[in-house]
Amino acid sequence: MSDTAAAIAIYDNHSSADEAVKELQRSGFNMKKLSIVGKDYLTEDQVVGYYNAGDRMKYWGKLGAFWGGFWGLLFGSAFFWVPGIGTVLVGGPWCRGSSVLWRRRLRSVA
């Protein structure tokens, strides 16, 4: 059999329950094993601190650079096929390169 332990607490208002949760977090309690049940309390709270950014980065960060590069390459190259935009994207570097070559040629002649 597995060894499980449970604790139950009842609070009169939301703020005291919230303070108890924060105290558990400060003491090192694993927030993934915490469940809260409430009654007759409607709120728009978006609790972010219990599934923190570090946990998300460990899970999603491994492949994030790969997928970001893949989609960037895919959508970036798609702009070359859009009429008008593709011409500007190609024409900008082409004009810059040709102007640099003309300047070098004029300097070598003078």
Side-chain angles (χ1 to χ4, degrees):
M1 284 196 186
S2 65
D3 184 27
T4 58
I8 299 173
I10 300 173
Y11 295 96
D12 292 329
N13 54 34
H14 181 266
S15 60
S16 59
D18 191 41
E19 184 59 38
V21 169
K22 289 178 183 176
E23 182 63 34
L24 282 171
Q25 185 179 26
R26 283 191 292 264
S27 67
F29 186 79
N30 186 359
M31 290 289 118
K32 293 180 182 176
K33 297 186 183 258
L34 179 68
S35 296
I36 299 173
V37 177
K39 179 181 169 186
D40 293 334
Y41 185 75
L42 300 174
T43 182
E44 294 296 322
D45 288 346
Q46 299 294 326
V47 180
V48 181
Y50 308 124
Y51 178 60
N52 59 18
D55 292 339
R56 287 191 301 267
M57 286 173 33
K58 285 179 188 175
Y59 182 76
W60 293 105
K62 295 175 184 175
L63 295 174
F66 169 75
W67 287 111
F70 174 75
W71 289 111
L73 183 66
L74 181 68
F75 287 122
S77 63
F79 280 114
F80 286 107
W81 297 100
V82 177
I85 294 176
T87 308
V88 171
L89 290 175
V90 171
W94 183 77
C95 289
R96 175 67 180 154
S98 63
S99 68
V100 169
L101 290 175
W102 277 105
R103 285 185 195 153
R104 287 183 185 165
R105 183 176 290 172
L106 290 175
R107 285 183 194 157
S108 66
V109 173

